[in-house]
Amino acid sequence: MKRFLPSLLLVSSLAAVSALAEDVIHLGNQKFVHYGAVSYMKELAPKYGLRIEEHFFAKGLDIVPAFISGDVDISASAMDGMIAGRAAGAPVFLVAGFAKGGTRIVKRTDLEAKTVAELKGRKIGVARGGAQHLALIGELMNNKLSFSEQPGSDVQILFMNYTDVNQALMQKQIDAMCQAEPYATIAIANGWGIEVMKPYDTPVGECPKVLAMSEKLYRDRPEVAARVLQCFVEATRTFIDNPELAQKYTCETLFKGQVSAELYKQAMENCQYSYDLDEKIVQATIDFMVETGVGKMQKPPTAKEFLRTDLLVQAKQKLGIK
């Protein structure tokens, strides 16, 4: 037995060194079905010499203070939250786009309206400052409907948390909602609501979701940042190539069994995993936020100044993805 002791000690030492060598990355995430691939990065992280610690936030804007304080290195968010954060001084870059879609306008089941135009005179619930807020405003403008938080306009917008929006629709406190997945699908599946439309014909398009990275990580630890993007690309490719794994992981790990496999499949019919992020849609979103006053930005950024896709391009090339 004695002759094996040095070997055992060597193996133990190497394992300890390997564990110590892992770079810790703090990930800000949210609980939506199309955010599952970003969460899955934790499982692949050791392969890239990383340990990813995931922290959940109610909405994208809530992640901004964590970026400013240095408590988050990367985050998944709707684009508008990171744009508003950058305008407020958060040191972030947009480094990838991880999903598109994930939004529906849903009405009460007993409401006769079949189009957005027919929601005139109604109350619509939405989460303030998010992708759904922007999409809703875009559709109201498309239909030449005035809107306000106060009664008197064509549409009264009521702001509330994502889960509260569903409750309000179920209890008929609002007539319709612009909601994220899977909450929109939950309302439909439970018989509280009927889809009016998927609001993707506005300046914000398919409401692309973004992976944001702190400037500190990007500039001060470029080699680590590169591995983070490789991990992201592989996680996304895994979910695209293996929908059964994506469903199982999202339902069981991200939602802890609170979302069924069937509900996941229905919600994902309105979502698409992605890697890329186009400068034109980033700038169009910034411009629309300025036009509508969403985010109340005094110094709006430009897409060019905080979009950094070089690491994404390198990661895709390294993993053989066109």
Side-chain angles (χ1 to χ4, degrees), residues 27 34-42 44-45 48 50 52 74-76 95-99 209-213 224-240 273-277 311-313 315-316 319 321:
L27 163 67
H34 41 314
Y35 287 54
V38 174
S39 187
Y40 190 68
M41 289 172 65
K42 301 193 305 292
L44 301 178
Y48 292 95
L50 304 170
I52 294 178
I74 58 172
S75 80
V95 294
F98 67 85
K209 310 303 180 288
V210 298
L211 187 71
M213 177 180 288
V224 176
R227 283 186 275 127
V228 169
L229 262 293
Q230 290 169 35
C231 184
F232 160 74
V233 170
E234 183 172 350
T236 302
R237 181 175 64 182
T238 300
F239 268 40
I240 292 171
Y273 293 116
S274 179
Y275 309 101
D276 300 317
L277 190 58
L311 297 179
L312 174 65
V313 171
K316 289 175 67 178
L319 294 171
I321 298 173

Side-chain angles (χ1 to χ4, degrees), residues 82-96:
M82 293 302 103
I83 290 171
R86 178 78 180 191
V92 297
F93 289 135
L94 304 184
V95 294

Side-chain angles (χ1 to χ4, degrees), residues 1-245:
M1 291 295 295
K2 287 184 180 180
R3 76 173 110 180
F4 296 109
L5 188 57
S7 296
L8 290 171
L9 287 173
L10 177 60
V11 170
S12 298
S13 298
L14 289 173
V17 170
S18 177
L20 288 172
E22 286 184 341
D23 291 290
V24 178
I25 298 296
H26 295 278
L27 163 67
N29 206 357
Q30 299 170 77
K31 289 194 176 181
F32 301 112
V33 289
H34 41 314
Y35 287 54
V38 174
S39 187
Y40 190 68
M41 289 172 65
K42 301 193 305 292
E43 312 303 322
L44 301 178
K47 176 179 177 179
Y48 292 95
L50 304 170
R51 186 172 83 247
I52 294 178
E53 297 183 356
E54 189 173 29
H55 311 274
F56 287 101
F57 296 81
K59 56 183 184 295
L61 281 172
D62 293 344
I63 304 175
V64 172
F67 266 120
I68 293 173
S69 65
D71 293 327
V72 163
D73 301 301
I74 58 172
S75 80
S77 172
M79 193 192 309
D80 51 272
M82 293 302 103
I83 290 171
R86 178 78 180 191
V92 297
F93 289 135
L94 304 184
V95 294
F98 67 85
K100 298 176 182 178
T103 298
R104 297 182 205 251
I105 295 179
V106 178
K107 67 168 186 173
R108 289 191 344 236
T109 52
D110 61 340
L111 195 66
E112 290 297 325
K114 296 181 179 179
T115 66
V116 171
E118 292 177 285
L119 293 175
K120 184 176 181 178
R122 300 295 180 175
K123 296 178 180 178
I124 304 180
V126 70
R128 185 190 293 274
Q132 292 71 40
H133 183 187
L134 278 175
L136 173 60
I137 288 177
E139 289 301 340
L140 295 176
M141 291 172 68
N142 283 350
N143 287 275
K144 297 180 171 55
L145 296 176
S146 63
F147 50 90
S148 172
E149 293 181 59
Q150 305 302 322
S153 297
D154 291 335
V155 168
Q156 184 180 359
I157 297 179
L158 278 67
F159 294 109
M160 52 193 80
N161 295 329
Y162 288 103
T163 52
D164 293 339
V165 175
N166 270 34
Q167 283 290 109
L169 188 74
M170 180 182 68
Q171 295 170 1
K172 300 183 180 181
Q173 296 169 349
I174 56 176
D175 302 297
M177 64 180 184
C178 191
Q179 181 63 297
E181 299 290 5
Y183 305 107
T185 295
I186 288 172
I188 295 168
N190 287 333
W192 310 332
I194 297 172
E195 179 183 310
V196 176
M197 70 173 302
K198 299 175 180 70
Y200 302 142
D201 60 347
T202 77
V204 297
E206 292 182 277
C207 307
K209 310 303 180 288
V210 298
L211 187 71
M213 177 180 288
S214 72
E215 288 188 23
K216 184 176 179 61
L217 175 57
Y218 179 88
R219 287 176 168 158
D220 296 353
R221 296 192 289 166
E223 191 272 333
V224 176
R227 283 186 275 127
V228 169
L229 262 293
Q230 290 169 35
C231 184
F232 160 74
V233 170
E234 183 172 350
T236 302
R237 181 175 64 182
T238 300
F239 268 40
I240 292 171
D241 291 348
N242 194 338
E244 290 185 4
L245 170 65

